[in-house]
Amino acid sequence: MDKLRVRVYNVRFGDAILIFVPDKGVDGKTVTRHILIDVGNAASGEGGLDDVFNPVIKNIMEVLDGRGVDLYIMTHEHLDHVQGLLHANKKAFPQGNLSQKLKVEHAWLTASSAPDYYENFPQAKEQKFRALQAYTDLETLKANLAAANEPLPAAVLAIMEINNPRATKDCVDYLRNLTPKTWYVYRGCDLQGKHNFQEARFEIWAPEEDTSDYYGRFQPVTLGFAAAPGKAGKSIPVTPMPPPGVDAQAFYDLVKARKEGWADNLLAIDQAANNTSIVFCLEWRNWRLLFAADAETRSWKTMNR
Ligand SMILES: [Zn+2]
């Protein structure tokens, strides 16, 4: 019996998902087609943790065994989702020949990662500009605190790194060029000709093409030491408990940062990117599988509407 298989790699923080889909070949016989989602892990200095990452890439190459990826999907522009293939191309394939070994037929990237996107969506451009400005302020704050020997908590630095627009840019550039058949997709776009599946059907649930709705509010920040308690940020009356499986120290560091207010901006930047995640439903022989990436509440509310 044909089996659809979903292999979700443990990359700790990030995503790497390989889906094997039995489908009809041109001669009517069953072939296995492959969907690869993201491939990335949280940044640790230069390009990720090799001990986590290299076995994943190695396994992907082994199971594909020279067959191509029919559809590669970049869900959103966060480093822990986009940096894997560029990293592998530089390190695991030092000759830079990963793209010759990993053939990609079609690639779906978010509409908002298209090179000309912000020319066409001025409201989203304005929001993006505000997010970048808030990020620059956070970098100033980070530098000022480090100079005063009061570095930001490690968990905060990790979220900053994931959202670093400069580091992400190189990765997205690499992914844009995996194949000449790169499509910038969004809810409601016509998927005809944007994949080669015969039986499986795709439905994109999110994001909207105009992403301006996904941005939250940004607070003014104090760029030296933390703002006076309760001034910029909402105070948290009861100390919350870390959820199961979450590092307690990292959690309390984050709570402390939130109390100081400016961390709201970092979370707003993080959420805006998460809410541009491609959410898609894969329908195959009476099965419906939903892949939601990092979509957060605002995206789910929009989908609900
Ligand atoms: Zn994310």
Side-chain angles (χ1 to χ4, degrees):
M1 204 175 90
D2 293 338
K3 278 186 182 159
L4 183 148
R5 287 190 295 147
V6 179
R7 181 170 290 193
V8 181
Y9 292 96
N10 180 1
V11 287
R12 296 188 201 162
F13 199 133
D15 267 358
I17 302 172
L18 185 60
I19 312 171
F20 306 76
V21 189
D23 196 38
K24 273 203 186 69
V26 275
D27 54 2
K29 286 190 188 139
T30 300
V31 294
T32 302
R33 297 196 199 279
H34 303 96
I35 303 169
L36 182 62
I37 302 178
D38 286 339
V39 186
N41 71 337
S44 149
E46 279 290 301
L49 296 163
D50 291 358
D51 59 333
V52 178
F53 197 69
N54 287 349
V56 173
I57 285 288
K58 197 165 164 271
N59 185 265
I60 291 172
M61 301 307 283
E62 271 170 20
V63 296
L64 285 173
D65 193 24
R67 292 168 301 179
V69 169
D70 295 272
L71 178 59
Y72 170 80
I73 299 175
M74 180 200 85
T75 61
H76 65 297
E77 293 178 77
H78 261 158
L79 210 53
D80 56 319
H81 292 256
V82 300
Q83 53 126 303
L85 295 182
L86 176 65
H87 169 69
N89 193 44
K90 277 187 189 158
K91 288 182 140 182
F93 294 86
Q95 308 81 4
N97 60 357
L98 173 71
S99 46
Q100 283 151 31
K101 292 192 191 266
L102 186 77
K103 288 260 178 264
V104 174
E105 185 67 23
H106 292 265
W108 291 357
L109 274 62
T110 49
S112 52
S113 65
D116 60 350
Y117 176 78
Y118 290 105
E119 284 165 36
N120 302 324
F121 291 90
Q123 262 181 309
K125 183 182 181 178
E126 206 171 292
Q127 297 284 41
K128 180 79 176 176
F129 179 79
R130 285 172 52 238
L132 287 173
Q133 188 58 53
Y135 190 86
T136 307
D137 287 348
L138 284 166
E139 283 186 319
T140 308
L141 176 75
K142 175 183 155 187
N144 290 351
L145 289 178
N149 245 341
E150 293 266 340
L152 285 167
V156 173
L157 293 175
I159 299 175
M160 277 188 73
E161 199 49 41
I162 286 165
N163 284 280
N164 183 333
R166 286 177 301 281
T168 311
K169 186 185 172 297
D170 290 347
C171 305
V172 178
D173 279 346
Y174 182 78
L175 298 174
R176 281 189 186 115
N177 293 303
L178 285 174
T179 166
K181 295 176 192 166
T182 293
W183 313 104
Y184 298 97
V185 301
Y186 52 91
R187 191 179 72 82
C189 80
D190 182 7
L191 297 174
Q192 184 85 36
K194 296 187 174 73
H195 65 80
N196 56 3
F197 286 75
Q198 302 297 311
E199 279 186 83
R201 301 200 178 283
F202 296 88
E203 228 177 56
I204 295 180
W205 289 19
E208 300 298 306
E209 190 177 20
D210 183 352
T211 57
S212 57
D213 259 5
Y214 297 122
Y215 288 83
R217 299 174 73 84
F218 297 102
Q219 318 274 343
V221 289
T222 307
L223 300 179
F225 288 96
K231 205 175 174 190
K234 296 174 215 95
S235 64
I236 299 169
V238 186
T239 303
M241 299 296 289
V246 170
D247 176 57
Q249 189 57 50
F251 179 80
Y252 288 123
D253 284 347
L254 194 61
V255 170
K256 180 172 175 282
R258 284 214 68 164
K259 282 182 173 171
E260 288 163 358
W262 51 264
D264 287 345
N265 279 1
L266 181 54
L267 290 177
I269 294 166
D270 192 55
Q271 283 168 0
N274 280 342
N275 283 328
T276 63
S277 287
I278 294 176
V279 178
F280 73 96
C281 182
L282 168 65
E283 197 174 332
W284 178 83
R285 302 185 193 171
N286 296 324
W287 287 87
R288 299 189 88 204
L289 291 88
L290 184 63
F291 295 88
D294 284 1
E296 295 200 24
T297 316
R298 201 176 280 246
S299 175
W300 288 102
K301 279 184 178 159
T302 307
M303 282 186 260
N304 201 28
R305 281 208 301 274

